Amino acid sequence: MSNKIVYFTLLLFIVFLVSCSKETRNTTSVYFAKKTDMAMSDLVSDYTFISLETKDDNLILDASMVRIWNDYIYILDCFSQNKSIYVFDIQGKYLGKIGNVGGGPGEYIMPLAIVVDEVNNQLIVKDVALNKLLYYNLSSFKYVKEQSIPFYSDCMEYYKDETIVWYIGSGCANVDDYQKHIQVSDLQCNIIDRYIPRKKFPQRSMYNVMTYFHKYNDKLFFHHPFSNVVYSYNNVEDSVMVEYTLSSDGIIFPSEEYVMDNNENIVEQLSNDGHVQYYDLHENSEKILCYFGVNKSKYIGVYSKKDGIGLYSDVEHIKDDLGLIKYGRPKTVYNDFFVNVIYREGLDSLSENSVLKPYFESKDNNLNPILVLYK
Amino acid sequence: MKNNLLKGLAVAALAMIAGYNVYQAHSETEGMSELMLANVEAIANGEYAVLKWNRHDYTLDNGTPAVNCWDGGIKDCLLK
């Protein structure tokens, strides 16, 4: 063996070692330890409020879904009798409604999701009663067009580059018609890709959640109903990967295997076993928030990405050392701030030094909720 | 002596590369879950079923349970 070959081999070895040192993809284990004395200041270090203006026709009874984009706030109230989509500016000034309840063009019966199409400056509304998407211009709030959805889905999310990602659980009776859990489509609902072979998940899939998706940093995350594995979808790598696995001490986040093994009466079984029945995730640059429920109890888990430490508490037991009333369900993330909704029905329980007192005592007869943006 | 040492190193390096590749191939087979395989599977035919039912359980922020079922539904759609 000549020296040249030997040197070449060693050089090859060095290159090999360098290439091996590049990124190896790991799943992050998100673990929440129980914290019995959690205070609001453990969750909130910086916050601001947006008081939503009240007019004759815009009383929000339940903010089922909140989206904030380009300094406009879109609130979907879909389960109360005041079913509508309301628009406010970032100061809380009411700007109008989007669409109306009805069966005509531009009208919806049961709008169960709103997503922002950032490329075309439009709001996309999913009406599950008529199984169609409605598109509204976000400058004029006017109806643009509609598109019937030629397939079933549990929930959907706008991703980017004019694509929509759809989650298909087991909510449709005809399981065999759908071979994958994830479908990626264009805005006309033409399927571009499909991911994750269909598993035998329970039919009662949408249990106490509005969506299985959340977005952070150009990544779209989702999870199967009830189970603790969180996936990410990335259209650049054209892949779906396991990103997080959730666990905690004391309360069990069920595995996918558990869910499949108990799919007949999953909600009741989870209730009997005291396991997590539903959860949703929100994420910013520092934290992952996991709001989860077991029977009638609701918990918030906060995981520090920097420290790799997670804590959770029953929301009813969080000490309100900041005067923010009780902790509610996170709705969205805007400019790295988590967004929660505070309803004014908590007025009587406000402490003397509550930071919210000025909002509740104002003379403007404001009945609509207050958004709290925090991190 | 020096040449022998270099040759030994080169052989060891080749053995490590080969060994690693075998390990990698093995672990990829084991770890190549349905997710990875899903990415290379052929896209299914483009025919879709009509909407069968859509149940959505939800608790309003004030604690009131809500449910929605569309297009018929089955017994599971009854609010318990």
Side-chain angles (χ1 to χ4, degrees):
Chain A
M1 193 186 298
S2 74
N3 277 356
K4 280 184 183 173
I5 295 175
V6 171
Y7 286 129
F8 178 75
T9 308
L10 288 173
L11 182 67
L12 192 68
F13 182 58
I14 291 166
V15 170
F16 169 75
L17 287 179
V18 170
S19 68
C20 281
S21 70
K22 284 189 178 174
E23 66 172 307
T24 51
R25 192 182 180 89
N26 291 320
T27 300
T28 303
S29 176
V30 177
Y31 176 80
F32 302 106
K34 188 172 185 179
K35 184 171 172 61
T36 51
D37 57 348
M38 187 181 280
M40 202 70 87
S41 52
D42 290 323
L43 290 161
V44 178
S45 59
D46 184 15
Y47 58 88
T48 186
F49 301 114
I50 301 172
S51 180
L52 301 177
E53 184 183 24
T54 307
K55 294 284 188 184
D56 292 342
D57 66 337
N58 80 339
L59 185 59
I60 299 166
L61 298 179
D62 187 72
S64 314
M65 191 173 271
V66 178
R67 304 279 183 174
I68 308 179
W69 181 70
N70 215 9
D71 286 349
Y72 286 90
I73 302 164
Y74 306 96
I75 294 184
L76 169 66
D77 183 348
C78 61
F79 291 121
S80 81
Q81 65 266 34
N82 291 358
K83 192 180 297 174
S84 196
I85 300 162
Y86 304 100
V87 189
F88 299 84
D89 70 14
I90 201 65
Q91 279 79 43
K93 181 178 169 52
Y94 179 56
L95 300 175
K97 287 182 184 179
I98 288 185
N100 294 297
V101 174
E107 296 179 327
Y108 40 73
I109 302 288
M110 186 58 211
L112 210 52
I114 53 172
V115 296
V116 175
D117 169 7
E118 300 166 2
V119 174
N120 299 298
N121 189 43
Q122 57 187 3
L123 191 78
I124 305 175
V125 179
K126 181 189 180 192
D127 183 348
V128 298
L130 303 172
N131 207 32
K132 66 180 181 181
L133 297 179
L134 297 103
Y135 301 78
Y136 300 89
N137 183 281
L138 287 183
S139 298
S140 63
F141 309 139
K142 299 288 186 196
Y143 167 70
V144 177
K145 62 177 179 177
E146 66 180 44
Q147 166 72 50
S148 76
I149 308 170
F151 45 80
Y152 171 87
S153 70
D154 284 0
C155 54
M156 46 87 83
E157 182 61 76
Y158 181 87
Y159 179 47
K160 60 182 179 183
D161 302 334
E162 299 185 303
T163 56
I164 297 173
V165 182
W166 309 78
Y167 183 85
I168 296 141
S170 298
C172 55
N174 201 349
V175 176
D176 295 336
D177 289 338
Y178 300 89
Q179 296 169 3
K180 301 289 175 70
H181 278 293
I182 292 291
Q183 288 186 168
V184 182
S185 81
D186 60 18
L187 297 183
Q188 287 72 48
C189 299
N190 300 307
I191 301 298
I192 300 167
D193 255 324
R194 292 183 172 91
Y195 299 93
I196 307 188
R198 202 65 188 285
K199 295 177 182 175
K200 196 179 176 188
F201 280 138
Q203 289 202 332
R204 285 183 65 165
S205 56
M206 296 301 283
Y207 183 75
N208 256 342
V209 294
M210 290 300 290
T211 181
Y212 298 126
F213 292 107
H214 80 274
K215 284 203 278 194
Y216 174 68
N217 247 5
D218 267 2
K219 264 189 186 175
L220 183 66
F221 299 83
F222 64 93
H223 61 88
H224 293 307
F226 312 110
S227 77
N228 68 335
V229 180
V230 181
Y231 301 85
S232 69
Y233 167 69
N234 181 326
N235 74 338
V236 176
E237 294 174 10
D238 190 24
S239 64
V240 167
M241 309 294 285
V242 174
E243 199 78 30
Y244 306 131
T245 53
L246 308 181
S247 61
S248 75
D249 66 352
I251 299 174
I252 291 174
F253 283 82
S255 65
E256 289 182 357
E257 290 72 26
Y258 175 98
V259 175
M260 286 189 284
D261 288 346
N262 294 280
N263 72 348
E264 288 296 320
N265 293 295
I266 183 68
V267 176
E268 292 75 11
Q269 189 61 46
L270 290 169
S271 170
N272 293 339
D273 292 344
H275 295 348
V276 173
Q277 288 173 312
Y278 60 90
Y279 71 88
D280 46 34
L281 294 173
H282 297 280
E283 184 169 347
N284 72 2
S285 60
E286 297 174 352
K287 298 172 184 169
I288 299 171
L289 291 188
C290 179
Y291 184 90
F292 59 98
V294 181
N295 295 324
K296 296 201 174 184
S297 297
K298 301 174 182 74
Y299 301 85
I300 184 69
V302 53
Y303 177 83
S304 166
K305 293 182 182 177
K306 183 182 170 192
D307 303 330
I309 295 172
L311 300 168
Y312 81 92
S313 170
D314 187 324
V315 293
E316 298 293 336
H317 299 154
I318 295 175
K319 185 184 172 194
D320 183 17
D321 56 347
L322 298 178
L324 291 171
I325 321 184
K326 73 173 185 178
Y327 189 82
R329 190 173 194 157
K331 298 292 182 180
T332 189
V333 179
Y334 174 66
N335 280 353
D336 219 34
F337 282 78
F338 298 106
V339 179
N340 282 27
V341 178
I342 297 175
Y343 297 90
R344 289 174 190 267
E345 60 201 23
L347 175 63
D348 295 339
S349 63
L350 277 181
S351 61
E352 271 307 307
N353 59 352
S354 172
V355 290
L356 280 163
K357 214 160 179 63
Y359 294 92
F360 282 80
E361 288 180 340
S362 64
K363 305 294 182 191
D364 57 4
N365 200 25
N366 205 346
L367 300 171
N368 265 335
I370 296 165
L371 301 186
V372 52
L373 282 65
Y374 64 98
K375 59 182 178 181
Chain B
M1 181 66 185
K2 188 183 169 190
N3 276 355
N4 282 343
L5 186 64
L6 282 172
K7 285 175 189 173
L9 278 172
V11 169
L14 283 172
M16 281 184 71
I17 293 172
Y20 179 80
N21 283 336
V22 169
Y23 163 79
Q24 188 72 359
H26 178 69
S27 59
E28 269 181 19
T29 308
E30 281 198 346
M32 194 159 162
S33 62
E34 291 171 333
L35 291 182
M36 299 290 287
L37 293 169
N39 292 338
V40 294
E41 277 183 19
I43 294 175
N45 61 50
E47 295 175 10
Y48 311 108
V50 294
L51 176 67
K52 300 296 182 187
W53 62 277
N54 189 336
R55 180 196 169 97
H56 194 111
D57 293 77
Y58 192 66
T59 305
L60 306 188
D61 284 347
N62 67 10
T64 308
V67 65
N68 277 278
C69 285
W70 297 100
D71 205 326
I74 56 176
K75 64 178 182 179
D76 193 47
C77 266
L78 299 173
L79 182 60
K80 291 172 182 170

